[in-house]
Amino acid sequence: MLNEFKAFIARGNVMDLAVGVIIGGAFGGIVKSLVDDIIMPIVGALFGGFDFSNYFVGLSSAVNAPTLAAARAQGAVFAYGNFITVIINFLILAWIIFLMIKGVNLLRKQVERNEQKAAEEAPPPADVALLTEIRDLLARRPAV
């Protein structure tokens, strides 16, 4: 069983997945910072200076704090502003991944076109050129 486990871990797909998860986690931190530190303040300024992250509804009468962190300490809250921020995080991340995949697909098509063009422009091998020349000479020979 240990050998099977080693073979499973050594497969390229598992390693690729592990690298993807690690990079995805780090990239998620970048997107979270982009949304929290750059985009949401701009959105907040456009809508009158409010901060989405502090939009909540207390689910008990004991919750009367002005900030989400303080309200959570007082009791249960429905943090819809935080949810809006998470949705924006997701949309930005999905858009960036879409653009990355679109770019990779564009590069692949470009490489395929270049390879195809190089194959079309490349001179034929010497034996093929010789056979083509013989064929052409035989075709020009008058019929007997």
Short mmCIF file of all heavy atoms in Angstrom, two decimals, residues 74-129:
data_model
loop_
_atom_site.label_atom_id
_atom_site.label_comp_id
_atom_site.label_asym_id
_atom_site.label_seq_id
_atom_site.Cartn_x
_atom_site.Cartn_y
_atom_site.Cartn_z
N GLN A 74 -21.06 41.00 20.47
CA GLN A 74 -22.30 41.14 21.24
C GLN A 74 -23.30 40.02 20.96
O GLN A 74 -24.16 39.75 21.79
CB GLN A 74 -22.97 42.48 20.95
CG GLN A 74 -22.19 43.66 21.45
CD GLN A 74 -22.84 44.98 21.05
OE1 GLN A 74 -23.67 45.03 20.16
NE2 GLN A 74 -22.43 46.04 21.73
N GLY A 75 -23.23 39.42 19.79
CA GLY A 75 -24.18 38.36 19.48
C GLY A 75 -24.20 38.05 17.99
O GLY A 75 -23.35 38.50 17.23
N ALA A 76 -25.21 37.31 17.57
CA ALA A 76 -25.33 36.89 16.18
C ALA A 76 -25.72 38.07 15.29
O ALA A 76 -26.56 38.89 15.66
CB ALA A 76 -26.36 35.78 16.06
N VAL A 77 -25.08 38.12 14.12
CA VAL A 77 -25.38 39.19 13.16
C VAL A 77 -25.52 38.60 11.76
O VAL A 77 -24.93 37.57 11.44
CB VAL A 77 -24.28 40.28 13.14
CG1 VAL A 77 -24.23 41.04 14.44
CG2 VAL A 77 -22.93 39.71 12.81
N PHE A 78 -26.30 39.27 10.95
CA PHE A 78 -26.45 38.96 9.53
C PHE A 78 -25.56 39.96 8.80
O PHE A 78 -25.95 41.10 8.58
CB PHE A 78 -27.92 39.09 9.13
CG PHE A 78 -28.19 38.79 7.68
CD1 PHE A 78 -28.08 37.50 7.20
CD2 PHE A 78 -28.56 39.80 6.82
CE1 PHE A 78 -28.33 37.23 5.87
CE2 PHE A 78 -28.81 39.54 5.49
CZ PHE A 78 -28.69 38.25 5.01
N ALA A 79 -24.34 39.54 8.41
CA ALA A 79 -23.32 40.44 7.85
C ALA A 79 -23.44 40.48 6.33
O ALA A 79 -22.61 39.94 5.61
CB ALA A 79 -21.93 40.00 8.29
N TYR A 80 -24.46 41.14 5.81
CA TYR A 80 -24.66 41.18 4.37
C TYR A 80 -23.61 42.03 3.65
O TYR A 80 -23.28 41.77 2.50
CB TYR A 80 -26.07 41.64 4.02
CG TYR A 80 -26.41 43.06 4.40
CD1 TYR A 80 -26.20 44.10 3.51
CD2 TYR A 80 -26.97 43.34 5.65
CE1 TYR A 80 -26.53 45.40 3.85
CE2 TYR A 80 -27.29 44.63 5.99
CZ TYR A 80 -27.06 45.66 5.10
OH TYR A 80 -27.38 46.95 5.44
N GLY A 81 -23.04 43.03 4.30
CA GLY A 81 -21.98 43.83 3.69
C GLY A 81 -20.73 43.01 3.45
O GLY A 81 -20.08 43.12 2.40
N ASN A 82 -20.39 42.18 4.41
CA ASN A 82 -19.25 41.28 4.25
C ASN A 82 -19.51 40.30 3.12
O ASN A 82 -18.61 39.98 2.34
CB ASN A 82 -18.98 40.56 5.58
CG ASN A 82 -17.63 39.93 5.61
OD1 ASN A 82 -16.67 40.44 5.05
ND2 ASN A 82 -17.53 38.80 6.28
N PHE A 83 -20.75 39.83 3.00
CA PHE A 83 -21.11 38.91 1.93
C PHE A 83 -20.95 39.59 0.56
O PHE A 83 -20.46 38.98 -0.38
CB PHE A 83 -22.55 38.43 2.12
CG PHE A 83 -22.99 37.45 1.08
CD1 PHE A 83 -22.49 36.17 1.07
CD2 PHE A 83 -23.92 37.82 0.12
CE1 PHE A 83 -22.89 35.26 0.10
CE2 PHE A 83 -24.33 36.93 -0.85
CZ PHE A 83 -23.82 35.64 -0.86
N ILE A 84 -21.34 40.85 0.46
CA ILE A 84 -21.17 41.61 -0.79
C ILE A 84 -19.69 41.69 -1.15
O ILE A 84 -19.30 41.50 -2.30
CB ILE A 84 -21.81 43.01 -0.68
CG1 ILE A 84 -23.33 42.89 -0.61
CG2 ILE A 84 -21.39 43.90 -1.85
CD1 ILE A 84 -24.04 44.19 -0.27
N THR A 85 -18.86 41.93 -0.15
CA THR A 85 -17.41 42.00 -0.39
C THR A 85 -16.88 40.66 -0.89
O THR A 85 -16.07 40.62 -1.83
CB THR A 85 -16.68 42.42 0.90
OG1 THR A 85 -17.20 43.67 1.34
CG2 THR A 85 -15.20 42.54 0.68
N VAL A 86 -17.33 39.57 -0.31
CA VAL A 86 -16.89 38.24 -0.74
C VAL A 86 -17.35 37.96 -2.16
O VAL A 86 -16.60 37.39 -2.96
CB VAL A 86 -17.38 37.16 0.25
CG1 VAL A 86 -17.14 35.77 -0.29
CG2 VAL A 86 -16.69 37.32 1.59
N ILE A 87 -18.56 38.36 -2.51
CA ILE A 87 -19.06 38.18 -3.88
C ILE A 87 -18.18 38.96 -4.86
O ILE A 87 -17.82 38.45 -5.92
CB ILE A 87 -20.53 38.64 -4.00
CG1 ILE A 87 -21.41 37.78 -3.14
CG2 ILE A 87 -20.98 38.71 -5.44
CD1 ILE A 87 -22.18 36.71 -3.81
N ILE A 88 -17.85 40.19 -4.53
CA ILE A 88 -16.98 40.99 -5.40
C ILE A 88 -15.61 40.33 -5.52
O ILE A 88 -15.04 40.28 -6.61
CB ILE A 88 -16.89 42.44 -4.88
CG1 ILE A 88 -18.25 43.13 -5.06
CG2 ILE A 88 -15.79 43.21 -5.60
CD1 ILE A 88 -18.34 44.49 -4.43
N ASN A 89 -15.08 39.79 -4.41
CA ASN A 89 -13.81 39.04 -4.47
C ASN A 89 -13.90 37.90 -5.49
O ASN A 89 -13.01 37.71 -6.32
CB ASN A 89 -13.48 38.43 -3.10
CG ASN A 89 -12.79 39.38 -2.19
OD1 ASN A 89 -12.28 40.42 -2.60
ND2 ASN A 89 -12.77 39.03 -0.92
N PHE A 90 -14.99 37.13 -5.39
CA PHE A 90 -15.17 36.00 -6.29
C PHE A 90 -15.25 36.45 -7.74
O PHE A 90 -14.63 35.85 -8.62
CB PHE A 90 -16.44 35.22 -5.91
CG PHE A 90 -16.80 34.19 -6.93
CD1 PHE A 90 -16.11 33.00 -7.00
CD2 PHE A 90 -17.83 34.42 -7.84
CE1 PHE A 90 -16.43 32.06 -7.96
CE2 PHE A 90 -18.16 33.49 -8.79
CZ PHE A 90 -17.46 32.29 -8.86
N LEU A 91 -16.03 37.48 -8.02
CA LEU A 91 -16.18 37.95 -9.40
C LEU A 91 -14.85 38.44 -9.98
O LEU A 91 -14.53 38.16 -11.14
CB LEU A 91 -17.24 39.05 -9.47
CG LEU A 91 -18.67 38.58 -9.19
CD1 LEU A 91 -19.62 39.78 -9.14
CD2 LEU A 91 -19.12 37.56 -10.23
N ILE A 92 -14.08 39.14 -9.17
CA ILE A 92 -12.78 39.61 -9.65
C ILE A 92 -11.85 38.43 -9.91
O ILE A 92 -11.18 38.36 -10.94
CB ILE A 92 -12.15 40.60 -8.65
CG1 ILE A 92 -12.94 41.90 -8.66
CG2 ILE A 92 -10.69 40.86 -8.96
CD1 ILE A 92 -12.55 42.87 -7.59
N LEU A 93 -11.82 37.48 -9.00
CA LEU A 93 -10.98 36.29 -9.17
C LEU A 93 -11.41 35.51 -10.41
O LEU A 93 -10.57 35.09 -11.21
CB LEU A 93 -11.06 35.41 -7.92
CG LEU A 93 -10.17 34.18 -7.89
CD1 LEU A 93 -8.70 34.58 -8.00
CD2 LEU A 93 -10.38 33.40 -6.62
N ALA A 94 -12.71 35.31 -10.60
CA ALA A 94 -13.20 34.60 -11.77
C ALA A 94 -12.84 35.34 -13.05
O ALA A 94 -12.45 34.71 -14.05
CB ALA A 94 -14.71 34.40 -11.66
N TRP A 95 -12.94 36.66 -13.04
CA TRP A 95 -12.59 37.45 -14.23
C TRP A 95 -11.11 37.33 -14.55
O TRP A 95 -10.73 37.15 -15.71
CB TRP A 95 -12.97 38.92 -14.01
CG TRP A 95 -12.62 39.80 -15.16
CD1 TRP A 95 -11.63 40.73 -15.20
CD2 TRP A 95 -13.24 39.84 -16.45
NE1 TRP A 95 -11.60 41.34 -16.43
CE2 TRP A 95 -12.58 40.81 -17.22
CE3 TRP A 95 -14.29 39.14 -17.01
CZ2 TRP A 95 -12.93 41.09 -18.53
CZ3 TRP A 95 -14.65 39.43 -18.32
CH2 TRP A 95 -13.97 40.39 -19.06
N ILE A 96 -10.27 37.38 -13.54
CA ILE A 96 -8.82 37.26 -13.75
C ILE A 96 -8.48 35.87 -14.29
O ILE A 96 -7.68 35.74 -15.23
CB ILE A 96 -8.05 37.57 -12.46
CG1 ILE A 96 -8.18 39.06 -12.13
CG2 ILE A 96 -6.59 37.18 -12.56
CD1 ILE A 96 -7.66 39.46 -10.77
N ILE A 97 -9.09 34.84 -13.74
CA ILE A 97 -8.83 33.48 -14.23
C ILE A 97 -9.32 33.34 -15.67
O ILE A 97 -8.64 32.74 -16.51
CB ILE A 97 -9.48 32.43 -13.30
CG1 ILE A 97 -8.72 32.40 -11.97
CG2 ILE A 97 -9.50 31.05 -13.94
CD1 ILE A 97 -9.38 31.57 -10.91
N PHE A 98 -10.48 33.91 -15.97
CA PHE A 98 -10.99 33.90 -17.34
C PHE A 98 -9.99 34.56 -18.29
O PHE A 98 -9.68 34.02 -19.36
CB PHE A 98 -12.34 34.61 -17.41
CG PHE A 98 -12.80 34.90 -18.80
CD1 PHE A 98 -13.30 33.90 -19.61
CD2 PHE A 98 -12.73 36.19 -19.32
CE1 PHE A 98 -13.72 34.16 -20.90
CE2 PHE A 98 -13.15 36.47 -20.61
CZ PHE A 98 -13.64 35.44 -21.40
N LEU A 99 -9.47 35.72 -17.91
CA LEU A 99 -8.50 36.41 -18.77
C LEU A 99 -7.22 35.61 -18.93
O LEU A 99 -6.63 35.58 -20.02
CB LEU A 99 -8.20 37.80 -18.20
CG LEU A 99 -9.34 38.81 -18.26
CD1 LEU A 99 -8.93 40.12 -17.59
CD2 LEU A 99 -9.78 39.05 -19.69
N MET A 100 -6.77 34.96 -17.85
CA MET A 100 -5.56 34.14 -17.94
C MET A 100 -5.77 32.97 -18.89
O MET A 100 -4.92 32.69 -19.74
CB MET A 100 -5.16 33.64 -16.54
CG MET A 100 -4.60 34.71 -15.65
SD MET A 100 -4.33 34.18 -13.95
CE MET A 100 -3.37 32.71 -14.14
N ILE A 101 -6.90 32.28 -18.77
CA ILE A 101 -7.17 31.14 -19.65
C ILE A 101 -7.33 31.60 -21.09
O ILE A 101 -6.83 30.96 -22.02
CB ILE A 101 -8.41 30.37 -19.16
CG1 ILE A 101 -8.08 29.66 -17.85
CG2 ILE A 101 -8.90 29.38 -20.21
CD1 ILE A 101 -9.26 29.02 -17.18
N LYS A 102 -7.98 32.74 -21.27
CA LYS A 102 -8.14 33.29 -22.62
C LYS A 102 -6.77 33.61 -23.22
O LYS A 102 -6.51 33.32 -24.39
CB LYS A 102 -9.02 34.54 -22.55
CG LYS A 102 -9.38 35.11 -23.90
CD LYS A 102 -10.36 36.24 -23.73
CE LYS A 102 -10.57 36.94 -25.04
NZ LYS A 102 -11.84 36.69 -25.65
N GLY A 103 -5.88 34.18 -22.43
CA GLY A 103 -4.53 34.48 -22.90
C GLY A 103 -3.74 33.23 -23.24
O GLY A 103 -3.05 33.18 -24.27
N VAL A 104 -3.84 32.21 -22.40
CA VAL A 104 -3.13 30.95 -22.67
C VAL A 104 -3.68 30.31 -23.95
O VAL A 104 -2.89 29.84 -24.79
CB VAL A 104 -3.26 29.99 -21.48
CG1 VAL A 104 -2.81 28.58 -21.84
CG2 VAL A 104 -2.44 30.50 -20.30
N ASN A 105 -4.99 30.31 -24.13
CA ASN A 105 -5.57 29.75 -25.35
C ASN A 105 -5.13 30.53 -26.58
O ASN A 105 -4.87 29.95 -27.63
CB ASN A 105 -7.09 29.70 -25.26
CG ASN A 105 -7.58 28.64 -24.30
OD1 ASN A 105 -6.86 27.70 -23.98
ND2 ASN A 105 -8.79 28.80 -23.81
N LEU A 106 -5.04 31.84 -26.46
CA LEU A 106 -4.58 32.67 -27.57
C LEU A 106 -3.13 32.33 -27.92
O LEU A 106 -2.79 32.20 -29.10
CB LEU A 106 -4.72 34.15 -27.21
CG LEU A 106 -4.33 35.14 -28.29
CD1 LEU A 106 -5.29 35.04 -29.47
CD2 LEU A 106 -4.33 36.55 -27.74
N LEU A 107 -2.30 32.18 -26.90
CA LEU A 107 -0.90 31.81 -27.15
C LEU A 107 -0.80 30.43 -27.81
O LEU A 107 0.01 30.24 -28.72
CB LEU A 107 -0.10 31.81 -25.85
CG LEU A 107 0.24 33.19 -25.29
CD1 LEU A 107 0.91 33.05 -23.92
CD2 LEU A 107 1.16 33.93 -26.24
N ARG A 108 -1.61 29.49 -27.36
CA ARG A 108 -1.59 28.15 -27.96
C ARG A 108 -1.97 28.21 -29.43
O ARG A 108 -1.34 27.57 -30.27
CB ARG A 108 -2.55 27.22 -27.23
CG ARG A 108 -2.02 26.72 -25.93
CD ARG A 108 -2.97 25.72 -25.31
NE ARG A 108 -2.50 25.31 -24.00
CZ ARG A 108 -3.23 24.71 -23.11
NH1 ARG A 108 -4.50 24.44 -23.38
NH2 ARG A 108 -2.73 24.36 -21.95
N LYS A 109 -3.03 28.97 -29.76
CA LYS A 109 -3.44 29.10 -31.15
C LYS A 109 -2.34 29.74 -31.99
O LYS A 109 -2.09 29.35 -33.12
CB LYS A 109 -4.73 29.92 -31.25
CG LYS A 109 -5.95 29.18 -30.80
CD LYS A 109 -7.19 30.05 -30.90
CE LYS A 109 -8.41 29.34 -30.34
NZ LYS A 109 -9.60 30.21 -30.33
N GLN A 110 -1.68 30.75 -31.41
CA GLN A 110 -0.61 31.43 -32.11
C GLN A 110 0.56 30.48 -32.39
O GLN A 110 1.11 30.47 -33.48
CB GLN A 110 -0.15 32.63 -31.29
CG GLN A 110 0.46 33.74 -32.08
CD GLN A 110 0.66 34.97 -31.20
OE1 GLN A 110 0.93 34.85 -30.01
NE2 GLN A 110 0.53 36.13 -31.79
N VAL A 111 0.91 29.67 -31.40
CA VAL A 111 1.99 28.70 -31.58
C VAL A 111 1.61 27.68 -32.64
O VAL A 111 2.43 27.33 -33.50
CB VAL A 111 2.32 28.01 -30.23
CG1 VAL A 111 3.19 26.79 -30.43
CG2 VAL A 111 3.00 28.99 -29.30
N GLU A 112 0.37 27.20 -32.62
CA GLU A 112 -0.09 26.25 -33.63
C GLU A 112 -0.03 26.86 -35.02
O GLU A 112 0.40 26.21 -35.97
CB GLU A 112 -1.51 25.79 -33.31
CG GLU A 112 -1.61 24.84 -32.15
CD GLU A 112 -3.05 24.50 -31.79
OE1 GLU A 112 -3.98 24.89 -32.55
OE2 GLU A 112 -3.24 23.85 -30.76
N ARG A 113 -0.47 28.11 -35.15
CA ARG A 113 -0.42 28.78 -36.46
C ARG A 113 1.02 28.93 -36.94
O ARG A 113 1.31 28.72 -38.12
CB ARG A 113 -1.09 30.15 -36.38
CG ARG A 113 -2.57 30.09 -36.63
CD ARG A 113 -3.17 31.48 -36.78
NE ARG A 113 -4.07 31.63 -35.63
CZ ARG A 113 -4.10 32.63 -34.79
NH1 ARG A 113 -3.29 33.64 -34.96
NH2 ARG A 113 -4.94 32.66 -33.79
N ASN A 114 1.91 29.31 -36.04
CA ASN A 114 3.32 29.47 -36.42
C ASN A 114 3.93 28.14 -36.84
O ASN A 114 4.70 28.09 -37.80
CB ASN A 114 4.12 30.08 -35.27
CG ASN A 114 3.77 31.54 -35.04
OD1 ASN A 114 3.19 32.19 -35.90
ND2 ASN A 114 4.13 32.05 -33.87
N GLU A 115 3.60 27.06 -36.13
CA GLU A 115 4.11 25.74 -36.50
C GLU A 115 3.56 25.31 -37.85
O GLU A 115 4.29 24.76 -38.67
CB GLU A 115 3.74 24.72 -35.43
CG GLU A 115 4.53 24.87 -34.15
CD GLU A 115 4.05 23.92 -33.05
OE1 GLU A 115 3.01 23.23 -33.25
OE2 GLU A 115 4.71 23.89 -32.00
N GLN A 116 2.28 25.60 -38.07
CA GLN A 116 1.66 25.24 -39.34
C GLN A 116 2.28 26.04 -40.48
O GLN A 116 2.57 25.51 -41.54
CB GLN A 116 0.15 25.49 -39.26
CG GLN A 116 -0.66 24.84 -40.32
CD GLN A 116 -2.14 25.02 -40.08
OE1 GLN A 116 -2.56 26.07 -39.59
NE2 GLN A 116 -2.93 24.03 -40.42
N LYS A 117 2.49 27.33 -40.24
CA LYS A 117 3.09 28.18 -41.27
C LYS A 117 4.51 27.73 -41.57
O LYS A 117 4.94 27.69 -42.73
CB LYS A 117 3.10 29.63 -40.79
CG LYS A 117 3.42 30.63 -41.89
CD LYS A 117 3.44 32.05 -41.36
CE LYS A 117 2.04 32.52 -41.06
NZ LYS A 117 2.00 33.94 -40.65
N ALA A 118 5.27 27.36 -40.54
CA ALA A 118 6.64 26.90 -40.73
C ALA A 118 6.66 25.59 -41.51
O ALA A 118 7.53 25.38 -42.36
CB ALA A 118 7.33 26.73 -39.39
N ALA A 119 5.69 24.72 -41.24
CA ALA A 119 5.63 23.45 -41.96
C ALA A 119 5.28 23.69 -43.43
O ALA A 119 5.80 23.00 -44.31
CB ALA A 119 4.60 22.53 -41.32
N GLU A 120 4.42 24.67 -43.71
CA GLU A 120 4.04 24.97 -45.09
C GLU A 120 5.18 25.64 -45.84
O GLU A 120 5.38 25.41 -47.03
CB GLU A 120 2.81 25.88 -45.11
CG GLU A 120 1.54 25.21 -44.65
CD GLU A 120 0.39 26.18 -44.49
OE1 GLU A 120 0.58 27.40 -44.70
OE2 GLU A 120 -0.71 25.72 -44.15
N GLU A 121 5.95 26.49 -45.17
CA GLU A 121 7.02 27.23 -45.82
C GLU A 121 8.32 26.44 -45.92
O GLU A 121 9.19 26.79 -46.70
CB GLU A 121 7.28 28.54 -45.06
CG GLU A 121 6.13 29.51 -45.13
CD GLU A 121 6.36 30.74 -44.27
OE1 GLU A 121 7.39 30.81 -43.59
OE2 GLU A 121 5.49 31.62 -44.29
N ALA A 122 8.47 25.41 -45.13
CA ALA A 122 9.71 24.65 -45.13
C ALA A 122 9.87 23.93 -46.47
O ALA A 122 8.91 23.39 -47.01
CB ALA A 122 9.70 23.65 -43.99
N PRO A 123 11.09 23.93 -47.00
CA PRO A 123 11.30 23.20 -48.26
C PRO A 123 11.12 21.70 -48.02
O PRO A 123 11.40 21.20 -46.94
CB PRO A 123 12.74 23.55 -48.64
CG PRO A 123 13.39 23.97 -47.37
CD PRO A 123 12.31 24.53 -46.50
N PRO A 124 10.66 21.00 -49.05
CA PRO A 124 10.47 19.57 -48.87
C PRO A 124 11.82 18.88 -48.71
O PRO A 124 12.85 19.39 -49.14
CB PRO A 124 9.77 19.14 -50.15
CG PRO A 124 10.10 20.18 -51.15
CD PRO A 124 10.30 21.45 -50.38
N PRO A 125 11.83 17.70 -48.12
CA PRO A 125 13.09 16.96 -48.00
C PRO A 125 13.67 16.67 -49.38
O PRO A 125 12.97 16.68 -50.39
CB PRO A 125 12.68 15.67 -47.28
CG PRO A 125 11.34 15.96 -46.67
CD PRO A 125 10.73 17.04 -47.48
N ALA A 126 14.96 16.38 -49.42
CA ALA A 126 15.67 16.20 -50.69
C ALA A 126 15.06 15.07 -51.52
O ALA A 126 14.91 15.20 -52.74
CB ALA A 126 17.15 15.93 -50.43
N ASP A 127 14.70 13.96 -50.90
CA ASP A 127 14.14 12.85 -51.67
C ASP A 127 12.78 13.21 -52.27
O ASP A 127 12.47 12.85 -53.41
CB ASP A 127 14.06 11.58 -50.81
CG ASP A 127 13.23 11.77 -49.55
OD1 ASP A 127 12.97 12.93 -49.18
OD2 ASP A 127 12.83 10.75 -48.94
N VAL A 128 11.97 13.97 -51.55
CA VAL A 128 10.68 14.39 -52.07
C VAL A 128 10.88 15.38 -53.21
O VAL A 128 10.19 15.31 -54.25
CB VAL A 128 9.81 15.00 -50.95
CG1 VAL A 128 8.53 15.60 -51.51
CG2 VAL A 128 9.49 13.95 -49.89
N ALA A 129 11.84 16.28 -53.08
CA ALA A 129 12.13 17.24 -54.16
C ALA A 129 12.61 16.51 -55.41
O ALA A 129 12.20 16.85 -56.53
CB ALA A 129 13.17 18.25 -53.68
#
